[in-house]
Amino acid sequence: MFHDRSWLDWPFLDGHHRAMARDIEAWCERELGHEHDADADTDTACRDLVRRLGAAGWLKHVIGGSEWGGAGEYIDTRAVCLLRETLARHSGLADFAFAMQGLGSGALTLHGTPAQKHEYLARVGRGEAIPAFALSEPDSGSDVAAMACTARREGADYVLDGEKTWISNGGIADFYVVFARTGEAPGSRGLSAFIVEAGTPGLEIAERIAVIAPHPLARLRFTACRIPAAQRLGEPGQGFKIAMQVLDIFRTSVAAAALGFARRALAEALQRATTRKMFDQVLADFQITQARLAAMATGIDSAALLTYRAAWRRDQGQSVTREAAMAKMHSTETAQQVIDAAVQMWGGIGVVSGHPVERLYREIRALRIYEGATEVQQLIIARQTLKAFAEA
Ligand code: COS
């Protein structure tokens, strides 16, 4: 299968990233591609992938702190991106399983106490515990500050009431990082984060949600769900900022996953274009195909440049709110177009269930919505641009 490796020479990456890219590629070729029953039983497939990713050491890269088994003191965003890109090129579900270990535990890496990290983070990094990030609600998706779920302090406990939805890993997670209103101030300044273990009385999986590219997803209901105050993550009232900091890391990695899908689609398209005969030529001989291939290749490189710029900036300790938003928006939107073009080149075969481009067509769609829809990224980019103008 065609795989353009020229981006590995870009100055955003270091030597250890290049070595890692070779190793994860070899692991994917050896270990993935056998999940043909994954659509039928995604829960089992996901648990199995988490266990194998943990055993192989890849999950060390989505947690921070070597004391807890992390690959380094901080999450290496470029490593997470290149791992996601490679996993996504081979298997959408493997990428999902990998990424959710990071998204679900990101708040612990950034704000967990040593006791919380010891209890939860280390197990996530070994693939022995599955976390989930519970932020969205039925009436508060893009507008996080409008969340209604409450956490009321009662003595040494907090009591949670409300609903969370679109929660990835919902139903299979061992614990949930839940954001709720604690009311220190109105809006975004009155939220806090909590660790709620699966099976806690008052936490119920209200609904399992089936989506076009199957993965574990659920709506959660909290009814007088009592947890010890020691399960709070970070300071009271800091929940909104904690959520945004986690998204700043993982939004860039969503861009990388989209890039992986797009690269696979280009490889599939090239395979088709150079072998499919029609009108005494192959598809690739037509200028109309060449124009499409040129747009696909350029779209992929531009998405890769934005993605690794954002990842590199974060690894330098610089703010990435604007850069991560640009990367996520551009990469997911571009990947959708690249995949659509690949389906078109495959013709009827491209829409047959289970064909690689048909799978990609389903897998890419949600990435333009979750972890901040394209329209939210536009809002963020515009605000940052206007702010820079006002400050100039
Ligand atoms: N890091 C740290 N702090 C941040 C931040 C970031 N990336 N982004 C915002 N903040 C801070 C702001 O500085 C502000 O702080 P002060 O209260 O001290 O002034 C506070 O958080 C509120 O920020 P803002 O006014 O920008 O909040 P808004 O309510 O306008 O919302 C958006 C901002 C729309 C960007 C936010 O709600 C968002 O990202 N929505 C999408 C959520 C999402 O991705 N959902 C998917 C869930 S995961 S599948």
Side-chain angles (χ1 to χ4, degrees), residues 103 133 135-136 141-146 166 168 188-189 240-242 244-245 247-248 251 321 369-373 376-377 379-380 383:
L103 183 69
F133 182 75
L135 184 69
S136 298
S142 294
D143 186 3
V144 174
W166 315 120
S168 290
S188 64
R189 294 183 175 192
F240 186 91
K241 286 185 186 171
I242 294 173
M244 292 302 128
Q245 287 165 0
L247 289 170
D248 273 347
R251 269 181 188 153
T321 303
I369 299 171
Y370 70 54
E371 288 182 49
V376 167
Q377 311 311 331
L379 187 76
I380 294 171
R383 277 185 188 182

